[in-house]
Amino acid sequence: MKLIIFGPPGSGKGTYSSKLKEIFGVEKIATGDIFREEIKKGSELGKKVEKYVKEGKLVPDEIVIEVVKEKIKNLENFILDGFPRTINQAKELLKITKIDAIIKLNMHEEIIVKKILGRRICSNPKCDGNYNIADIHETIDGIEYFLPAILPKNDMLCDKCGSPLIQREDDKEEIIRERIRIYEEQTKPVLEFFKRETKIPIIEIWVNRPVDEIVDRIVKSLKSLF
Ligand code: AMP
């Protein structure tokens, strides 16, 4: 199965692609993660992309396309996260592979902001404890959100290691609104391209319920296609 996942920052794209990896055995290819890793390693590629990534600008198409081509070369099953971000990238992708479906996650901006401001992570860098104090029960434009808080058992201490919980440095309202704006700007034309020029099914999912229910919805939609 060859998939693309689109979704605004904070909609849980990372969570859902990891779940699809477990369920369907698809390889998760997240271009942003690849670039961050290469920068950390100080590789040739890392050096080439560093300034773009640091400034939140798009890495030139030739570089991104080369990386993705190399990654998917021998893969039968994958999910692309963060790629394609331009129409040119989408066209180049379709030259080298077919795509079976596109998953598009939707979430209202106000909910994303509440969720991101509610996020608390474990202060122990070796622990991946992740919680959310936002308890969201509200309806926007007819979409009923039920996203209960994910709280630790002991007041603001991590269940896994007992360390205090903290807020992430970059979980700030201005930053997240800017990232959502850039996402909308980049993603819309790419999705329109797929709708106009291809017959690839687009599965639209509102992320308005707890993770397991959303996973079920995505899995059912994918199964109904194949
Ligand atoms: P992300 O983690 O997906 O938000 O990506 C982090 C950064 O990596 C972006 O701000 C870009 O600088 C770069 N990047 C990731 N994917 C792409 C892509 N498909 N095209 C261009 N730049 C990308």
Side-chain angles (χ1 to χ4, degrees), residues 26-51:
V26 293
E27 196 67 43
K28 178 179 161 185
I29 298 165
T31 41
D33 290 349
I34 295 171
F35 292 147
R36 278 185 289 273
E37 227 166 84
E38 294 296 323
I39 293 170
K40 226 192 260 170
K41 281 198 272 184
S43 68
E44 274 308 302
L45 173 63
K47 284 183 196 140
K48 269 197 232 165
V49 302
E50 187 162 15
K51 76 172 171 15

Side-chain angles (χ1 to χ4, degrees), residues 35-171:
F35 292 147
R36 278 185 289 273
E37 227 166 84
E38 294 296 323
I39 293 170
K40 226 192 260 170
K41 281 198 272 184
S43 68
E44 274 308 302
L45 173 63
K47 284 183 196 140
K48 269 197 232 165
V49 302
E50 187 162 15
K51 76 172 171 15
Y52 301 101
V53 175
K54 291 263 151 77
E55 290 170 16
K57 299 214 171 90
L58 286 184
V59 170
D61 283 348
E62 319 81 77
I63 300 178
V64 195
I65 290 161
E66 215 35 60
V67 167
V68 173
K69 255 190 200 170
E70 192 51 38
K71 287 273 172 196
I72 65 174
K73 206 164 55 183
N74 299 314
L75 291 179
E76 275 309 306
N77 298 293
F78 58 75
I79 184 160
L80 295 172
D81 169 356
F83 181 93
R85 265 185 165 87
T86 65
I87 293 176
N88 189 31
Q89 290 178 11
K91 284 184 178 160
E92 290 299 316
L93 177 68
L94 295 181
K95 280 186 199 162
I96 53 172
T97 183
K98 72 179 176 71
I99 294 294
D100 298 308
I102 294 171
I103 300 161
K104 171 155 189 284
L105 303 179
N106 294 326
M107 192 183 249
H108 286 92
E109 180 165 341
E110 291 317 303
I111 303 289
I112 295 174
V113 170
K114 278 186 190 167
K115 258 192 58 195
I116 290 199
L117 293 181
R119 180 151 66 187
R120 294 293 179 276
I121 58 165
C122 180
S123 55
N124 173 1
K126 293 199 186 88
C127 178
D128 62 354
N130 209 323
Y131 306 84
N132 207 306
I133 60 169
D135 196 36
I136 301 170
H137 299 239
E138 65 184 82
T139 301
I140 305 182
D141 301 334
I143 303 293
E144 201 181 331
Y145 285 92
F146 173 68
L147 301 168
I150 304 165
L151 299 171
K153 290 192 190 78
N154 289 317
D155 199 27
M156 289 319 185
L157 296 177
C158 180
D159 287 347
K160 295 186 179 177
C161 73
S163 305
L165 303 186
I166 51 167
Q167 219 171 346
R168 239 171 64 173
E169 268 300 305
D170 56 343
D171 282 350

